[in-house]
């Protein structure tokens, strides 16, 4: 067979494979949650329009793990202000390594459906490992953050930066303004430890998101890492 004759068939096969791959990636558009496999449900929870993995550079902690109490000084800033142990050692600001965070918009109906699907398949341990939110209040949007890969030597991955006069270290930016969580809650331990941020659905009697769909950017300014994660939310995810 000549190259000229084989080429169209090759291109056709490639296009079919690309189409199938795109179709598989967006399975939630054409399959009901009751048809999802466990692997597909996990994909919704970890790699989808409602779940993003962000890689960020982390500076090393300004504390000494050999100090009394281990790295407790680094961890004491959790959801307060970072405080460090008595023994401190300054490290050059150029010393960075990478951390990977998972940020998920837990108020999306597809996310709730993915957790329900795992439970219906008997995969409760797998579901628990995905750090489900402890609750979904009707008056709040829930954003979950956990650590896929912690940075070496950076201390507590959830410690937040001391807020400045004009902004808060954790916030949600939408077309309606900038909003801060009204509550935070921890869940899990070890690899599935997570923090859940509860943002108000309304403030001063007005929705914080456009009911027809909106873009929401979650901002976390940690003691040693900063990340931004943007979600394009349709009407269902906003409701």
């Amino acid at each position: 067979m000549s190259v000229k004759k084989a080429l169209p068939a090759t291109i056709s096969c490639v296009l079919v494979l690309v189409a199938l791959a795109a179709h598989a990636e967006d399975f939630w558009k054409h399959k009901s949650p009751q048809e999802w496999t466990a692997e597909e449900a996990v994909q919704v929870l970890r790699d989808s329009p409602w779940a993003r993995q962000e890689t960020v550079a982390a500076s090393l902690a300004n504390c000494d793990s050999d100090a009394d109490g281990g790295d407790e000084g680094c961890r004491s800033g959790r959801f307060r202000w970072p405080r460090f142990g008595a023994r401190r050692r300054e490290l050059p600001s150029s010393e960075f390594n990478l951390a990977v965070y998972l940020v998920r918009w837990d108020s999306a109906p597809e996310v709730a459906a993915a957790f329900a699907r795992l439970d219906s398949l008997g995969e409760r341990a797998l579901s628990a490992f995905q750090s489900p939110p402890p609750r979904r209040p009707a008056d709040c949007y829930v954003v979950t953050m956990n650590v896929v890969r912690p940075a070496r030597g950076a201390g507590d991955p959830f410690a937040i930066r001391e807020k400045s006069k004009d902004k808060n270290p954790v916030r949600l930016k939408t077309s309606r303004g900038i909003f801060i969580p009204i509550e935070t809650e921890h869940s899990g331990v070890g690899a599935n430890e997570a923090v859940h941020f509860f943002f108000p659905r309304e403030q001063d009697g007005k929705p914080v998101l456009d009911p027809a769909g909106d873009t929401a950017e979650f901002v976390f300014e940690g003691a040693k890492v900063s990340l931004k994660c943007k979600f394009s939310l349709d009407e269902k995810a906003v409701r």
Side-chain angles (χ1 to χ4, degrees), residues 10-160:
T10 302
I11 293 175
S12 177
C13 289
V14 169
L15 292 176
V16 169
L17 289 174
V18 170
L20 288 174
H23 195 58
E25 290 175 0
D26 296 339
F27 61 86
W28 49 79
K29 295 181 179 179
H30 59 87
K31 292 177 66 175
S32 69
Q34 293 75 25
E35 299 175 300
W36 294 351
T37 65
E39 291 77 12
E40 289 171 334
V42 169
Q43 182 177 338
V44 170
L45 299 174
R46 302 191 70 83
D47 182 18
S48 69
W50 315 280
R52 305 290 177 80
Q53 294 192 28
E54 302 289 339
T55 301
V56 294
S59 60
L60 299 182
N62 289 357
C63 61
D64 194 332
S65 60
D66 295 329
D68 293 339
D71 71 340
E72 191 61 30
C74 296
R75 300 183 65 81
S76 63
R78 181 170 296 188
F79 296 107
R80 293 186 295 277
W81 312 132
R83 295 195 300 273
F84 301 104
R87 291 178 58 191
R88 300 179 60 178
R89 57 187 177 89
E90 297 299 326
L91 295 171
S93 59
S94 60
E95 292 192 41
F96 291 95
N97 58 40
L98 298 179
V100 181
Y101 285 81
L102 173 71
V103 183
R104 190 175 62 230
W105 190 266
D106 269 323
S107 294
E110 290 85 354
V111 171
F115 278 115
R117 180 55 176 160
L118 288 176
D119 290 343
S120 71
L121 291 171
E123 298 285 0
R124 289 180 173 80
L126 181 58
S127 175
F129 190 74
Q130 309 310 316
S131 306
R135 50 200 168 83
R136 292 185 179 87
D139 59 347
C140 289
Y141 293 113
V142 186
V143 177
T144 291
M145 184 177 75
N146 71 0
V147 183
V148 176
R149 187 182 70 200
R152 292 180 293 107
D156 181 4
F158 296 120
I160 58 174

Side-chain angles (χ1 to χ4, degrees), residues 163-181:
K163 65 180 180 180
S164 64
K165 294 180 180 179
D166 58 345
K167 62 183 179 181
N168 288 274
V170 180
R171 53 195 183 273
L172 191 68
K173 299 171 64 176
T174 78
S175 65
R176 303 293 179 88
I178 298 176
F179 307 92
I180 63 173

